[in-house]
Amino acid sequence: MSALPHDAAWRARAAKVIPGGMYGHQATTLLPDGFPQFFARAEGARLWDVDGRMFIDMMCGYGPNLFGYGCQKIDAAFQKQLYAGDCMTGPSAIMVELAEALTAMVTHADWAMFCKNGTDATTMAATVARAHTGKRKLLVARGAYHGAAPWCTPRPAGVLPEDRAHVLSFVYNDVNDLARAFTEAGDDVAGLFAAPFKHDAFQDQADVDPAYARACRAACNATGALLIVDDVRAGFRLARDCSWARVGVQPDLSAWGKAIANGHPISALLGAERARDAAASIYVTGSFWFAAAPMAAALATLRMIRETDYLERLETLGGRLRDGIAAQAARHGVPVRQTGPVQMPQILLGDDPDFRKGFHWARVALDHGLYVHPWHNMFLNAAMTDADIDAALAATDAAFAAVAKNGASLPPVPQLRGLFA
Ligand code: PMP
């Protein structure tokens, strides 16, 4: 553990009152020593930890930060609605405007329902698919993350075999294995979950093979199952539409969250006409699902998505980062694999089967003011500037130099044991 006084003190207090000290993806026990557990402030592209260290943040809150932390335009809309009425006995009419805005932007969508987290939206998608088809099986690519409910959480503790009894897996981008899964499921497939691209932790990312996306659509057409694109992580970072619009495949349902309100808590399930009756038939709700201020923030975020060149800028910035890192890696003789879209990069070091080099690389980058992740994809945001990319590259240069120097003598990272294949 680093000796950073405030973070260490808060961790000690957390250990007494929060199970495990922290849970889920926020547990920094799976990050290199020295990574902060607690943050004090965030603005634009930057984060400050409780010890006052500032970082350029390549994680963007694990995705929600699309236009910068504290984006003035979005937060002004949020605040205005907050003071007008946020938690009320029923929704604000903004809910209708938000549904209109999303269905106008997302080609396949004719209706929208709102919830809080990505897991709410993916779980609701599964329920709609089962209500629509009267069938049971959900087909999910092996290793794909769709949330933390019993049917999909990656850890087995507390989960019954029954919770997963009707979840079948197959290999992403593998048309033959997809066909095998459909055969195995018999005439009982309710829904097929599709990640927009392969963005699994601990491994290289892979863009979607358009032939595979078309095969998913065809198999659902043939069986009556609903095709569900889980755009919770990638939504609006690849396209101003559903991410599979890029390959010309329209799902029946799509799940959204994270970036749609630039960090304000709201998620959504969007659907095509054919699934409308099923969506109307299920009982889903939540005390906070109708809060008006996050809906106002989402409306403002969608306006910026439509009216700014944020996406093109993310691609330009991401391209600069990728090229810069490739040049540094070559110069330092440290092989690197950079995969996935440049605005959602996965950066893994070569010849690093147990991530010890990646841990060292991330730790040295952190010490130089750049918060990077050693095994999860990262995110760019539109508040980043060319100067931020330069600063990020200065940090990664130091990190590559450190790996080149120390790579042969690094200790293993026991905390990751058993978590990757
Ligand atoms: N689907 C995908 C692809 C995700 O990346 C995530 C969150 N990382 C979820 C679903 C679940 O979202 P949430 O954590 O908001 O429940």
Side-chain angles (χ1 to χ4, degrees), residues 253-300:
L253 301 173
S254 56
W256 301 73
K258 293 193 185 279
I260 66 169
N262 202 49
H264 294 286
I266 183 164
S267 59
L269 178 67
L270 306 185
E273 195 55 46
R274 76 181 67 91
R276 185 191 294 265
D277 289 348
S281 74
I282 64 172
Y283 185 80
V284 282
T285 190
S287 297
F288 303 112
W289 285 18
F290 299 90
M295 293 188 184
L299 259 186

Side-chain angles (χ1 to χ4, degrees), residues 327-344:
Q328 290 173 347
R331 185 154 30 82
H332 289 289
V334 176
V336 68
R337 299 192 310 275
Q338 303 189 80
T339 55
V342 293
Q343 62 274 43
M344 291 177 65

Side-chain angles (χ1 to χ4, degrees), residues 162-178:
E162 288 87 339
D163 292 322
R164 308 285 250 264
H166 299 294
V167 180
L168 302 181
S169 69
F170 61 92
V171 176
Y172 194 87
N173 266 346
D174 184 332
V175 173
N176 293 330
D177 203 45
L178 178 73

Side-chain angles (χ1 to χ4, degrees), residues 134-150:
K135 298 177 183 178
R136 296 179 296 177
K137 309 284 185 207
L138 303 173
L139 267 46
V140 175
R142 191 166 308 137
Y145 187 76
H146 295 296

Side-chain angles (χ1 to χ4, degrees), residues 142-327:
R142 191 166 308 137
Y145 187 76
H146 295 296
W151 71 269
C152 56
T153 183
R155 296 245 184 105
V159 174
L160 307 177
E162 288 87 339
D163 292 322
R164 308 285 250 264
H166 299 294
V167 180
L168 302 181
S169 69
F170 61 92
V171 176
Y172 194 87
N173 266 346
D174 184 332
V175 173
N176 293 330
D177 203 45
L178 178 73
R180 180 212 39 86
F182 266 93
T183 306
E184 204 172 291
D187 185 27
D188 200 16
V189 184
L192 165 58
F193 276 89
F197 65 98
K198 189 171 188 290
H199 50 32
D200 305 346
F202 297 110
Q203 47 187 294
D204 294 335
Q205 301 190 115
D207 207 348
V208 60
D209 176 349
Y212 162 80
R214 286 193 294 272
C216 289
R217 183 66 272 176
C220 287
N221 291 349
T223 57
L226 294 188
L227 177 60
I228 304 153
V229 167
D230 179 354
D231 242 338
V232 170
R233 192 182 311 180
F236 295 135
R237 262 198 177 75
L238 305 187
R240 293 177 176 85
D241 195 340
C242 176
S243 294
W244 270 19
R246 297 189 321 151
V247 290
V249 172
Q250 302 297 341
D252 302 302
L253 301 173
S254 56
W256 301 73
K258 293 193 185 279
I260 66 169
N262 202 49
H264 294 286
I266 183 164
S267 59
L269 178 67
L270 306 185
E273 195 55 46
R274 76 181 67 91
R276 185 191 294 265
D277 289 348
S281 74
I282 64 172
Y283 185 80
V284 282
T285 190
S287 297
F288 303 112
W289 285 18
F290 299 90
M295 293 188 184
L299 259 186
T301 305
L302 296 181
R303 193 169 307 123
M304 289 179 70
I305 287 170
R306 289 192 307 272
E307 294 177 2
T308 70
D309 63 350
Y310 83 100
L311 188 52
E312 294 67 29
R313 290 201 303 113
L314 289 183
E315 287 168 348
T316 305
L317 292 167
R320 277 198 62 216
L321 183 72
R322 182 159 292 184
D323 292 348
I325 284 182

